[in-house]
Amino acid sequence: PIEIRLFNLALGGDSIGDLGRSMVTPEDALQLSSSLSKSDTNASVMGGSAQPPSAGFVINTIKQAQDECMVKSRRGDTMQIRYEARVGDRNGPIYDASEYRGTGQPYAYILGNNDVIKGVDLGTFDMCPGEVRELTIPPELGYRSGSKLFKQIPPNSTLFWKIELVELNFIREGMNNRPREASY
C-alpha cells in the first residue's frame, strides 16, 4: 500500500509570500518532517496531532471562542491581542503586557510578518476571536541570546505568554459567522 501524508507547511496561510517567494524554506520543511512521528497519519502543524516546530514549544488553548468561528487567523491577518509575557513559566516575572503599553487598547500586529517573536507568530495561527491560549516558548523561538529591549530576559530563557485574540481583521467574538470570502 501507498501512504500519502499531507503537511500544512504554510501554517494556515498561503505558501507563497507577498514578493512571490516561498514562505516555507527547505530548512523549515526538513525540520517539520523530522519532528513528526512515523505513526502520525493526520499531520497538521497547528491544528492536528503533529509535534510543534520546536522542542519545548507548547500551545495550550484555555478558552475556546463562545460562538461560531468561520474565520481563523492566518498569515497576513491583522491581529489585536491582549497578552501577558513572562520569563520562565506562568509564575515567572512579567516582562511585558498589553496593559503596560499605556494605550488602553489591545496590541495590533500582522500575523507572519515578524512583528512579534517567532513563538508568538506560530502560536497564534488558526485562532478565533475570543480564544485564549497559553504558549510556552523555547529560546530558539523567543529571544535566544537575550533581548536588547527587555534587559530582564537572560539569554536562552524559556518564555510564557498568555494571549487573548480580541479582534481578527475587524472581526470580534460573536461576529464570526461568515466565511472569509464573504467577509471581505
Side-chain angles (χ1 to χ4, degrees):
I2 297 174
E3 179 181 333
I4 298 176
R5 300 174 74 192
L6 303 175
F7 300 95
N8 181 3
L9 295 176
L11 299 173
D14 301 325
S15 61
I16 303 297
D18 296 335
L19 300 175
R21 291 187 290 244
S22 174
M23 289 179 9
V24 181
T25 66
E27 292 80 17
D28 291 339
L30 181 61
Q31 180 182 6
L32 175 65
S33 65
S34 66
S35 72
L36 299 173
S37 69
K38 296 208 184 304
S39 64
D40 184 16
T41 57
N42 271 335
S44 171
V45 171
M46 303 312 278
S49 56
Q51 296 295 317
S54 181
F57 182 55
V58 178
I59 301 169
N60 184 22
T61 301
I62 60 171
K63 178 186 174 271
Q64 297 284 341
Q66 297 293 318
D67 298 312
E68 192 170 11
C69 181
M70 295 290 290
V71 178
K72 293 184 177 187
S73 61
R74 68 180 187 190
R75 184 184 179 280
D77 285 343
T78 301
M79 310 278 283
Q80 289 195 24
I81 61 170
R82 285 192 192 95
Y83 70 92
E84 186 176 87
R86 296 175 179 263
V87 177
D89 59 21
R90 71 171 36 101
N91 299 316
I94 297 172
Y95 72 88
D96 192 19
S98 51
E99 68 181 45
Y100 293 178
R101 295 186 170 267
T103 65
Q105 301 296 317
Y107 177 71
Y109 69 100
I110 306 297
L111 186 60
N113 206 33
N114 294 323
D115 293 340
V116 293
I117 60 174
K118 190 171 185 175
V120 173
D121 252 353
L122 291 171
T124 55
F125 276 94
D126 288 333
M127 276 186 90
C128 295
E131 188 173 323
V132 179
R133 289 185 180 173
E134 292 178 338
L135 310 176
T136 301
I137 302 171
E140 60 270 15
L141 297 178
Y143 296 109
R144 191 180 296 242
S145 60
S147 170
K148 293 180 176 128
L149 180 61
F150 301 107
K151 300 293 184 200
Q152 67 270 41
I153 301 175
N156 296 312
S157 293
T158 296
L159 306 173
F160 180 85
W161 281 58
K162 183 176 181 181
I163 298 173
E164 174 189 6
L165 179 56
V166 176
E167 196 171 281
L168 167 66
N169 296 335
F170 309 106
I171 300 171
R172 292 183 160 274
E173 187 173 19
M175 300 170 43
N176 197 355
N177 58 357
R178 296 173 43 198
R180 184 177 288 270
E181 297 75 27
S183 296
Y184 304 108

